[in-house]
Amino acid sequence: MSVTTLDPTTHSTTTPLLGLSLAELTAWVQAQGQPAYRGKQLYQWIYQQGAKSLADITVFSKQWRETVKDTPIGRSTIHHRAVSNDGTIKYLLQLQDGQIIEAVGIPSSDRLTVCVSSQVGCAMACTFCATGMGGFIRHLHPHEIIDQVLTIQEDFQERVSHVVFMGMGEPLANLTSVVKAVNCFNHDIGISQRSITVSTVGIPGKIHELAQHELQVTLAISLHAPNQKLRTKLVPTADNYPIDDLLDECRDYVRITGRRLSVEYVLLAGVNDDPDLADELASKLRGFQTHVNLIPYNPIADADFDRPTPRDIKMFVDVLEQKHIAVSVRYSKGLGATAACGQLRANQKVAGNS
């Protein structure tokens, strides 16, 4: 197995060590002329002790460390931390090519959840999203996704129990890297697949492709509207994916995996929060396992939307409950840390990003 370095000028990569399994790492050390047991040592230093470079691994001889010192493990550096009063920490992480991504550590009494990014930027162009407004730059490689969890786990000095793909980017547009990262979270870091959520706007055929991997992750659909006309207004790329086709594909996912669907619905004042739209949404979701997460909008600069009033939020919830749709209201943590996805990165105007 060959392992080459990132090229900062082309942003290209083959395989840094982070993301490789025990068997793959063992094969790599053997290819370097080392005994097989060094593979387990390398595996433990990467996934349990947080080695940032091979030079950190003191159980290896100085001579061999010098020989392989330029082989990357694939870790980022913390460019910026924003700490909220509720304990949530939003991170800007600098990748080896200089690009900046967001990740968030969200603590509670019994868990630590990490919200990870899957792309630098996003091509979905949702009109209410700071990331979408910033445009798409590139996909993240598996090690760049996995690194986000390890970095936050190390910074909190607490085991990560849950992962949500709800940061920058459209996960299903980068499905190969996302699936590899999910398997690494599960097999190498010890996070249950049932504690991992993959959120998507929806790309034709990709939900079915995800189902074929037979993962036990929760699928979350960023729906935001109960009909095609309004959804296309909010999510321009939805123009190519009729809402009924999207929901049919979701029903297939539930049937194949046995996992309940989560529906994400950002509530925008005067746009998609009318009780009649709640009734329409209930009709769309009737008949298969779903749970609706209503998310009151977090205002961002240059977006002409407002957060609904508590009364309007309650009216929307009441309609769904009357129609026997499971629903909860999710208030974003870390408002003091610019909670909206992509907002901290945009506000920082970080170098190396357009």
Side-chain angles (χ1 to χ4, degrees):
M1 175 187 300
S2 64
V3 178
T4 61
T5 59
L6 286 165
D7 181 343
T9 61
T10 63
H11 305 170
S12 65
T13 183
T14 53
T15 311
L17 298 179
L18 182 59
L20 299 186
S21 67
L22 174 57
E24 290 169 326
L25 289 172
T26 300
W28 183 77
V29 298
Q30 289 181 300
Q32 310 303 311
Q34 295 295 304
Y37 72 86
R38 293 294 191 197
K40 185 172 183 180
Q41 291 176 323
L42 180 56
Y43 180 84
Q44 291 172 335
W45 275 79
I46 289 175
Y47 293 110
Q48 297 170 21
Q49 300 191 52
K52 301 293 195 301
S53 75
L54 291 179
D56 296 337
I57 306 178
T58 55
V59 295
F60 295 161
S61 70
K62 288 184 179 179
Q63 181 180 358
W64 190 59
R65 279 185 279 162
E66 180 66 22
T67 300
V68 296
K69 66 180 181 180
D70 293 330
T71 300
I73 287 180
R75 299 300 305 272
S76 68
T77 58
I78 297 177
H79 178 83
H80 182 79
R81 291 164 85 253
V83 183
S84 173
N85 292 335
D86 62 14
T88 297
I89 303 179
K90 178 169 279 193
Y91 300 81
L92 295 181
L93 303 180
Q94 185 166 14
L95 309 178
Q96 189 164 337
D97 65 359
Q99 293 296 338
I100 301 291
I101 59 171
E102 286 188 359
V104 187
I106 308 167
S108 62
S109 60
D110 61 347
R111 65 177 62 178
L112 174 58
T113 300
V114 174
C115 178
V116 298
S117 295
S118 56
Q119 296 176 315
V120 184
C122 184
M124 296 296 105
C126 298
T127 56
F128 50 85
C129 175
T131 301
M133 293 171 65
F136 172 75
I137 297 175
R138 70 170 174 87
H139 296 310
L140 293 184
H141 301 291
H143 70 276
E144 294 170 326
I145 300 173
I146 298 161
D147 167 77
Q148 296 170 58
V149 167
L150 291 182
T151 295
I152 292 176
Q153 184 165 264
E154 292 158 9
D155 194 56
F156 271 83
Q157 297 187 324
E158 179 182 342
R159 178 183 171 273
V160 170
S161 58
H162 292 71
V163 176
V164 292
F165 283 82
M166 295 182 179
M168 296 167 55
E170 165 52 60
L172 296 194
N174 190 19
L175 187 56
T176 299
S177 290
V178 166
V179 169
K180 186 169 180 61
V182 166
N183 283 322
C184 181
F185 292 150
N186 184 213
H187 300 307
D188 306 314
I189 301 178
I191 301 171
S192 168
Q193 287 190 11
R194 289 177 175 263
S195 298
I196 299 173
T197 298
V198 176
S199 177
T200 177
V201 169
I203 300 174
K206 287 293 184 178
I207 294 171
H208 180 73
E209 185 178 339
L210 175 63
Q212 303 312 303
H213 289 279
E214 299 183 344
L215 303 174
Q216 283 294 291
V217 300
T218 297
L219 177 66
I221 297 298
S222 296
L223 200 62
H224 311 312
N227 59 68
Q228 185 67 15
K229 181 178 179 180
L230 178 56
R231 189 164 193 265
T232 300
K233 178 181 177 182
L234 298 175
V235 185
T237 56
D239 185 50
N240 299 318
Y241 198 10
I243 191 170
D244 290 337
D245 292 348
L246 168 62
L247 292 176
D248 284 345
E249 199 168 341
C250 290
R251 288 185 176 88
D252 285 342
Y253 183 88
V254 171
R255 177 182 54 79
I256 292 169
T257 65
R259 300 287 287 151
R260 182 179 69 173
L261 179 73
S262 179
V263 176
E264 308 291 318
Y265 194 105
V266 173
L267 282 169
L268 305 162
V271 177
N272 66 351
D273 63 340
D274 189 278
D276 288 341
L277 293 174
D279 185 72
E280 189 176 353
L281 178 63
S283 297
K284 287 288 186 186
L285 300 181
R286 191 171 294 118
F288 70 112
Q289 293 174 287
T290 59
H291 182 275
V292 176
N293 281 313
L294 297 177
I295 308 165
Y297 175 67
N298 288 316
I300 62 174
D302 301 321
D304 191 21
F305 297 108
D306 295 307
R307 177 185 285 237
T309 65
R311 177 178 177 273
D312 288 338
I313 294 169
K314 184 178 184 305
M315 290 175 61
F316 202 95
V317 169
D318 288 347
V319 171
L320 292 178
E321 289 182 336
Q322 290 164 10
K323 299 292 185 177
H324 307 291
I325 300 296
V327 58
S328 57
V329 180
R330 192 177 79 210
Y331 290 94
S332 297
K333 289 191 172 186
L335 287 175
T338 53
C341 179
Q343 192 171 356
L344 179 63
R345 177 173 173 267
N347 289 351
Q348 287 291 310
K349 295 182 172 64
V350 292
N353 290 276
S354 55

